[in-house]
Coordinates of all heavy atoms in Angstrom, one line a residue:
A706 N -9.1 23.7 -20.1 CA -10.2 23.1 -19.3 C -10.4 21.6 -19.6 O -11.5 21.3 -20.1 CB -11.5 23.9 -19.6
P707 N -9.5 20.8 -19.2 CA -9.8 19.3 -19.4 C -10.8 18.8 -18.5 O -11.1 19.4 -17.5 CB -8.4 18.7 -19.2 CG -7.7 19.7 -18.3 CD -8.2 21.0 -18.6
A708 N -11.3 17.6 -18.7 CA -12.2 17.0 -17.8 C -11.5 16.4 -16.6 O -10.3 16.1 -16.7 CB -13.0 15.8 -18.6
P709 N -12.2 16.4 -15.4 CA -11.4 16.2 -14.2 C -11.2 14.8 -13.6 O -10.4 14.7 -12.7 CB -12.3 17.0 -13.2 CG -13.7 16.7 -13.7 CD -13.6 16.7 -15.2
L710 N -11.9 13.8 -14.1 CA -11.9 12.5 -13.4 C -10.5 11.9 -13.3 O -10.1 11.4 -12.2 CB -12.9 11.6 -14.1 CG -13.1 10.2 -13.4 CD1 -13.5 10.4 -12.0 CD2 -14.1 9.3 -14.2
D711 N -9.8 11.9 -14.4 CA -8.4 11.3 -14.3 C -7.5 12.1 -13.4 O -6.7 11.5 -12.7 CB -7.8 11.2 -15.7 CG -6.5 10.4 -15.8 OD1 -6.6 9.2 -15.7 OD2 -5.4 11.0 -15.8
F712 N -7.7 13.4 -13.4 CA -6.9 14.2 -12.5 C -7.2 13.9 -11.0 O -6.2 13.8 -10.2 CB -7.1 15.7 -12.7 CG -6.6 16.2 -14.0 CD1 -7.2 15.9 -15.2 CD2 -5.4 17.0 -14.0 CE1 -6.7 16.4 -16.4 CE2 -4.9 17.5 -15.2 CZ -5.5 17.2 -16.4
I713 N -8.4 13.7 -10.7 CA -8.8 13.3 -9.3 C -8.2 12.0 -8.9 O -7.7 11.8 -7.8 CB -10.4 13.3 -9.2 CG1 -10.9 14.8 -9.4 CG2 -10.8 12.8 -7.9 CD1 -12.4 14.9 -9.5
L714 N -8.3 11.0 -9.8 CA -7.8 9.7 -9.5 C -6.3 9.8 -9.3 O -5.7 9.2 -8.4 CB -8.1 8.7 -10.6 CG -9.6 8.2 -10.7 CD1 -9.7 7.3 -11.9 CD2 -10.0 7.5 -9.4
Q715 N -5.6 10.5 -10.2 CA -4.1 10.6 -10.1 C -3.8 11.3 -8.8 O -2.8 10.9 -8.1 CB -3.6 11.4 -11.3 CG -2.1 11.4 -11.3 CD -1.6 12.2 -12.5 OE1 -1.8 13.4 -12.5 NE2 -0.9 11.6 -13.4
R716 N -4.5 12.3 -8.4 CA -4.3 13.0 -7.1 C -4.3 12.1 -5.9 O -3.5 12.1 -5.0 CB -5.3 14.2 -7.0 CG -5.2 15.0 -5.7 CD -6.3 15.9 -5.6 NE -6.3 16.7 -4.3 CZ -5.8 17.9 -4.2 NH1 -5.2 18.5 -5.2 NH2 -5.9 18.5 -3.0
L717 N -5.3 11.2 -5.9 CA -5.4 10.2 -4.8 C -4.2 9.3 -4.7 O -3.7 9.1 -3.6 CB -6.7 9.4 -5.0 CG -8.0 10.1 -4.9 CD1 -9.2 9.2 -5.2 CD2 -8.2 10.7 -3.5
F718 N -3.8 8.8 -5.9 CA -2.6 7.9 -5.9 C -1.3 8.7 -5.5 O -0.4 8.1 -4.8 CB -2.5 7.2 -7.2 CG -3.4 6.0 -7.3 CD1 -4.7 6.2 -7.9 CD2 -3.1 4.8 -6.9 CE1 -5.6 5.1 -8.0 CE2 -3.9 3.7 -7.0 CZ -5.2 3.9 -7.6
L719 N -1.2 9.9 -6.0 CA 0.0 10.7 -5.6 C 0.0 11.0 -4.1 O 1.1 11.0 -3.5 CB 0.0 12.0 -6.4 CG 0.4 11.9 -7.9 CD1 0.1 13.2 -8.6 CD2 1.9 11.5 -8.0
R720 N -1.2 11.2 -3.5 CA -1.2 11.4 -2.1 C -0.7 10.1 -1.3 O -0.1 10.2 -0.3 CB -2.6 11.8 -1.6 CG -3.1 13.1 -2.1 CD -2.3 14.2 -1.4 NE -2.9 15.6 -1.7 CZ -2.5 16.3 -2.7 NH1 -1.6 15.9 -3.5 NH2 -3.0 17.5 -2.9
M721 N -1.0 9.0 -1.9 CA -0.6 7.7 -1.2 C 0.8 7.3 -1.5 O 1.5 6.9 -0.6 CB -1.6 6.6 -1.6 CG -3.0 6.7 -1.2 SD -4.0 5.3 -1.6 CE -4.1 5.4 -3.4
L722 N 1.3 7.5 -2.7 CA 2.6 7.0 -3.1 C 3.6 8.1 -3.3 O 4.8 7.7 -3.5 CB 2.4 6.2 -4.4 CG 1.5 5.0 -4.4 CD1 1.3 4.4 -5.8 CD2 1.9 4.0 -3.4
G723 N 3.3 9.3 -3.3 CA 4.2 10.4 -3.4 C 4.5 10.8 -4.9 O 4.0 10.0 -5.8
P724 N 5.2 11.9 -5.2 CA 5.4 12.4 -6.5 C 6.5 11.5 -7.2 O 7.6 11.9 -7.3 CB 5.9 13.8 -6.3 CG 6.5 13.8 -5.0 CD 5.7 12.8 -4.1
S725 N 6.1 10.4 -7.7 CA 7.0 9.5 -8.4 C 6.3 8.9 -9.6 O 5.1 9.2 -9.9 CB 7.3 8.3 -7.5 OG 6.2 7.6 -7.1
E726 N 7.1 8.2 -10.4 CA 6.5 7.5 -11.6 C 5.4 6.6 -11.3 O 4.3 6.6 -11.9 CB 7.6 6.7 -12.4 CG 8.5 7.6 -13.3 CD 9.5 8.5 -12.6 OE1 9.7 8.3 -11.3 OE2 10.1 9.4 -13.2
A727 N 5.6 5.8 -10.2 CA 4.5 4.9 -9.8 C 3.3 5.6 -9.3 O 2.2 5.2 -9.6 CB 5.0 3.9 -8.7
G728 N 3.5 6.7 -8.5 CA 2.4 7.4 -8.0 C 1.6 8.1 -9.1 O 0.3 8.2 -9.0
A729 N 2.2 8.6 -10.1 CA 1.5 9.3 -11.2 C 0.9 8.3 -12.2 O -0.1 8.7 -12.9 CB 2.5 10.2 -12.0
R730 N 1.3 7.1 -12.2 CA 0.9 6.2 -13.3 C 0.1 5.0 -12.9 O -0.5 4.3 -13.7 CB 2.1 5.7 -14.1 CG 2.8 6.8 -14.9 CD 4.2 6.3 -15.4 NE 4.8 7.3 -16.3 CZ 6.1 7.2 -16.7 NH1 6.8 6.2 -16.3 NH2 6.6 8.1 -17.5
L731 N 0.1 4.7 -11.6 CA -0.5 3.4 -11.1 C -2.0 3.4 -11.5 O -2.5 2.3 -11.9 CB -0.4 3.3 -9.6 CG -0.9 2.0 -9.0 CD1 -0.4 0.8 -9.6 CD2 -0.7 2.0 -7.5
H732 N -2.7 4.5 -11.4 CA -4.1 4.4 -11.7 C -4.3 4.1 -13.2 O -5.2 3.3 -13.6 CB -4.8 5.7 -11.4 CG -4.5 6.9 -12.3 ND1 -3.2 7.4 -12.4 CD2 -5.2 7.5 -13.3 CE1 -3.2 8.4 -13.3 NE2 -4.4 8.5 -13.8
A733 N -3.4 4.6 -14.1 CA -3.5 4.3 -15.5 C -3.2 2.8 -15.8 O -3.8 2.2 -16.6 CB -2.6 5.2 -16.3
T734 N -2.2 2.3 -15.0 CA -1.9 0.9 -15.2 C -3.0 0.0 -14.8 O -3.4 -1.0 -15.4 CB -0.6 0.5 -14.4 OG1 0.5 1.4 -14.9 CG2 -0.2 -0.9 -14.6
L735 N -3.7 0.3 -13.7 CA -4.8 -0.5 -13.2 C -6.0 -0.4 -14.2 O -6.6 -1.4 -14.5 CB -5.3 0.0 -11.8 CG -4.3 -0.2 -10.7 CD1 -4.9 0.5 -9.4 CD2 -4.1 -1.7 -10.4
C736 N -6.2 0.8 -14.8 CA -7.2 0.9 -15.8 C -6.8 0.0 -17.1 O -7.7 -0.6 -17.7 CB -7.4 2.3 -16.3 SG -8.2 3.4 -15.0
G737 N -5.5 0.0 -17.4 CA -5.1 -0.8 -18.5 C -5.4 -2.3 -18.3 O -5.8 -3.1 -19.2
L738 N -5.1 -2.8 -17.0 CA -5.4 -4.2 -16.7 C -6.9 -4.5 -16.7 O -7.3 -5.5 -17.2 CB -4.8 -4.5 -15.3 CG -3.2 -4.4 -15.3 CD1 -2.8 -4.6 -13.8 CD2 -2.6 -5.4 -16.2
L739 N -7.7 -3.6 -16.1 CA -9.1 -3.8 -16.2 C -9.7 -3.8 -17.6 O -10.7 -4.4 -17.8 CB -9.8 -2.7 -15.3 CG -9.6 -2.8 -13.8 CD1 -10.2 -1.5 -13.1 CD2 -10.2 -4.0 -13.3
S740 N -9.0 -3.1 -18.5 CA -9.5 -3.1 -19.9 C -9.4 -4.4 -20.5 O -10.2 -4.8 -21.4 CB -8.6 -2.1 -20.7 OG -8.8 -0.8 -20.3
L741 N -8.5 -5.3 -20.1 CA -8.4 -6.6 -20.6 C -9.7 -7.4 -20.3 O -10.2 -8.1 -21.1 CB -7.2 -7.4 -20.0 CG -5.8 -6.8 -20.3 CD1 -4.7 -7.5 -19.6 CD2 -5.6 -6.8 -21.8
A742 N -10.2 -7.2 -19.0 CA -11.4 -7.9 -18.7 C -12.6 -7.3 -19.4 O -13.5 -8.0 -19.8 CB -11.6 -7.8 -17.1
A743 N -12.6 -5.9 -19.6 CA -13.7 -5.2 -20.2 C -13.8 -5.7 -21.7 O -15.0 -5.9 -22.1 CB -13.5 -3.7 -20.1
I744 N -12.7 -5.8 -22.4 CA -12.8 -6.2 -23.8 C -13.3 -7.6 -23.9 O -14.0 -8.0 -24.9 CB -11.5 -5.9 -24.6 CG1 -11.8 -5.8 -26.1 CG2 -10.5 -7.0 -24.3 CD1 -10.7 -5.2 -26.9
F745 N -12.9 -8.5 -23.0 CA -13.4 -9.9 -22.9 C -14.9 -9.9 -22.8 O -15.6 -10.6 -23.5 CB -12.7 -10.6 -21.8 CG -13.1 -12.1 -21.7 CD1 -12.5 -13.0 -22.4 CD2 -14.2 -12.4 -20.8 CE1 -12.8 -14.4 -22.3 CE2 -14.5 -13.7 -20.7 CZ -13.9 -14.7 -21.4

């Protein structure tokens, strides 16, 4: 029973980009880039 938010975001990107590495990971990469601004 994991928490759902990341699953929901990943589902949205997979619907747009298809079942690929980019589709499964783009949301995580964007969060990683936003983290640079957040830690600043």
